[in-house]
Amino acid sequence: MIAYSIVTTAVSNLLMTNVFRSVDSKLKSGDICMDLQKPVVFPFYLFFYQLGVTLFQTLFTTIPSVALAFLVFGFQPPELDKLVPFLFSVLLALLISFLFGYLIALISFWFLTTFALEWTFGALMLIFSGSFLPIWFFTPAWSKIAEALPFQYLGFIPSAIYMGKVAEPYLALGKGALWALLLLLAVSFLWKKAINRLEVQGG
């Protein structure tokens, strides 16, 4: 459980779900209109901005914390055959977390606030990502629900792969990639709708 908690905490520090807060503040201030006029695709701007925040977190929070865990708890790196799928699972967690945050940001174009969505998403992620309790401790019914949702890729799957608890890690990653594709299609559709709505509201 110590290794699981360390990996889950480290991964959660890298997630890019907070992108919606940036959009929320820009919507309320009206600065988003200026951002949309810049010679850069707004979703790409959001992604790389959040990626910069994540890299900062990696260098100054995650790496020192993991290094301390090595010294204090005897935390060990994953076996070589688990290292590659684990790294892919972390990249997948970054992508899915950004798409979730971006999805909330786009929905805020209609509601002009993200408070309720933020609270709901936070509760779902806390429960079904396995960050509060590993999914293998869930009851069979709740375990099936958790395994059917993409939240497990934001904590449980990377940790389980790290510990060698996933029998077919690449199959799990493939399912996660399908979730990422579905979320990408959803945000692409909503982005077009949101831009049209913003143009109508702004004249």
Side-chain angles (χ1 to χ4, degrees):
M1 279 298 294
I2 292 178
Y4 180 89
S5 298
I6 292 172
V7 176
T8 304
T9 302
V11 171
S12 66
N13 285 333
L14 304 180
L15 299 182
M16 303 198 298
T17 54
N18 289 334
V19 61
F20 60 82
R21 293 179 180 171
S22 176
V23 177
D24 186 48
S25 63
K26 289 178 181 295
L27 278 172
K28 292 177 179 177
S29 65
D31 291 342
I32 192 169
C33 295
M34 297 180 62
D35 288 326
L36 293 175
Q37 294 175 9
K38 295 177 180 179
V40 61
V41 181
F42 187 62
F44 289 166
Y45 160 76
L46 290 176
F47 177 81
F48 286 107
Y49 174 80
Q50 286 298 311
L51 186 61
V53 174
T54 297
L55 290 175
F56 180 87
Q57 287 284 97
T58 301
L59 291 175
F60 295 101
T61 302
T62 304
I63 291 178
S65 299
V66 172
L68 184 63
F70 272 106
L71 296 175
V72 176
F73 299 106
F75 183 62
Q76 297 297 318
E79 300 176 3
L80 289 178
D81 61 329
K82 305 295 188 303
L83 180 60
V84 173
F86 169 71
L87 293 177
F88 274 113
S89 72
V90 173
L91 294 176
L92 190 59
L94 292 177
L95 179 58
I96 291 178
S97 67
F98 172 78
L99 291 172
F100 265 128
Y102 185 40
L103 182 64
I104 294 174
L106 291 176
I107 295 175
S108 70
F109 275 70
W110 281 264
F111 295 97
L112 301 180
T113 181
T114 60
F115 174 77
L117 292 170
E118 178 183 357
W119 188 90
T120 302
F121 175 77
L124 290 172
M125 190 172 78
L126 177 66
I127 297 172
F128 293 113
S129 70
S131 58
F132 180 73
L133 186 70
I135 292 177
W136 53 61
F137 290 147
F138 285 20
T139 62
W142 282 101
S143 179
K144 288 181 180 180
I145 294 174
E147 291 169 359
L149 297 173
F151 298 103
Q152 59 178 324
Y153 293 95
L154 304 183
F156 175 76
I157 291 296
S159 299
I161 290 176
Y162 188 99
M163 298 173 64
K165 300 293 186 179
V166 180
E168 298 180 350
Y170 289 105
L171 178 60
L173 292 175
K175 293 179 180 178
L178 288 177
W179 271 113
L181 179 60
L182 289 174
L183 287 170
L184 182 60
L185 292 174
V187 297
S188 297
F189 174 78
L190 281 179
W191 169 244
K192 295 178 181 178
K193 296 291 184 181
I195 286 297
N196 291 333
R197 177 179 175 80
L198 190 63
E199 289 176 350
V200 171
Q201 293 288 342

